[in-house]
Amino acid sequence: MIIMSLLDALNWRYATKKMSGKPVAQEKVDQIIAAAHLAPTSSGLQPFRIIVVTNPALKEKILPIAFGQAQVTAASHLLIFAAWDNYTEERIRGVFSNSNKERGLPDNASDYEVQLTANYTARSTEENFNHAAKQAYIGFGMAIAEAAMLEVDATPMEGFNAAELDALLGLRERGLRSVTILPLGYRDESGDWLVNLKKVRTPKAEFVIEYN
Ligand SMILES: Cc1cc2nc3c(=O)[nH]c(=O)nc-3n(C[C@H](O)[C@H](O)[C@H](O)COP(=O)(O)O)c2cc1C
């Protein structure tokens, strides 16, 4: 099948339950990550990172943390989306400083940056983490869509114990907390109970609310 449009790709994709074990080429993985990298985020802070796990022994350790979901070990690559555990002055400064440098602008904190930093640092750690996690979901969605465009199967996953995964990967030491996992691989058509079931969505007339 040749996928022509994003909508075709979104119809083709499904939350793959059984993968064949065939590995995804690194070039495709790079493109999927590039889509997440290009995702828009609030104030452009990109407050999340992607951890790429290919090590088989590590995937085996993640399997029970993800409640035995078989995609974790059958996927060739696990993309783990992990958000900043907080917004800090240093992190915000780092983003703006990089942007100024890349654009050849003087690296002075603008009024906007000063106000943004004041706003975030006044909020609780948990509120800031939750805000950062929402940004991670935008990248997650972009990665899911790009994988489908490349006819790579993926399973969006929240079904795992985030605290245990953070401990296994030492994410808290990096100032990160895991949010979602995206296993990448290829569907096992003969063994996946979901592959031939109709894609069902809320009726459009209910989903779209128009104010004319
Ligand atoms: C944020 C998120 C978390 C999900 N977590 C899991 C999961 O842990 N395991 C799983 O098999 N599917 C998971 N799903 C898949 C959804 O159940 C699936 O996307 C939804 O039922 C729609 O079906 P479709 O993706 O096949 O079109 C998750 C989806 C999203 C978006």
Side-chain angles (χ1 to χ4, degrees):
M1 177 185 175
I2 297 171
I3 288 173
M4 299 303 292
S5 71
L6 178 59
L7 285 185
D8 285 342
L10 295 178
N11 272 306
W12 172 85
R13 66 150 296 280
Y14 73 110
T16 309
K17 305 300 178 207
K18 193 157 195 289
M19 291 182 175
S20 65
K22 180 183 157 192
V24 180
Q26 189 60 44
E27 186 197 8
K28 290 189 175 178
V29 176
D30 291 344
Q31 283 177 261
I32 293 163
I33 291 171
H37 192 212
L38 284 169
T41 54
S42 185
S43 298
L45 292 178
Q46 293 184 280
F48 68 95
R49 299 292 178 259
I50 296 175
I51 293 103
V52 185
V53 177
T54 53
N55 182 292
L58 193 51
K59 286 192 274 179
E60 284 293 342
K61 285 186 184 160
I62 295 172
L63 183 64
I65 291 174
F67 314 122
Q69 297 193 65
Q71 311 90 317
V72 166
T73 43
S76 61
H77 297 72
L78 291 185
L79 304 187
I80 297 168
F81 289 71
W84 285 356
D85 59 1
N86 198 1
Y87 288 107
T88 64
E89 183 172 359
E90 190 188 9
R91 289 173 179 179
I92 294 169
R93 183 84 273 280
V95 171
F96 280 95
S97 183
N98 180 57
S99 174
N100 289 335
K101 197 177 79 195
E102 290 288 327
R103 288 174 171 168
L105 299 172
D107 190 19
N108 307 315
S110 63
D111 291 347
Y112 179 80
E113 181 188 332
V114 170
Q115 190 57 53
L116 190 78
T117 304
N119 290 347
Y120 277 131
T121 52
R123 291 178 195 154
S124 74
T125 302
E126 202 58 22
E127 192 179 351
N128 278 339
F129 164 67
N130 285 328
H131 185 272
K134 288 180 194 168
Q135 315 311 309
Y137 276 93
I138 302 172
F140 187 58
M142 295 284 180
I144 293 166
E146 180 63 12
M149 291 293 287
L150 297 170
E151 294 183 70
V152 170
D153 281 300
T155 320
M157 282 179 48
E158 272 181 332
F160 63 94
N161 184 318
E164 286 181 19
L165 187 60
D166 295 351
L168 176 69
L169 300 175
L171 294 184
R172 297 305 295 262
E173 289 83 338
R174 294 178 184 270
L176 297 169
R177 292 169 64 180
S178 58
V179 175
T180 54
I181 305 179
L182 193 66
L184 300 176
Y186 292 97
R187 62 188 70 178
D188 174 356
E189 301 247 12
S190 59
D192 194 331
W193 59 268
L194 188 55
V195 67
N196 290 317
L197 288 183
K198 185 174 188 240
K199 188 175 280 294
V200 180
R201 292 293 188 262
T202 304
K204 223 171 258 168
E206 198 182 315
F207 184 67
V208 180
I209 299 166
E210 292 186 20
Y211 285 70
N212 294 315

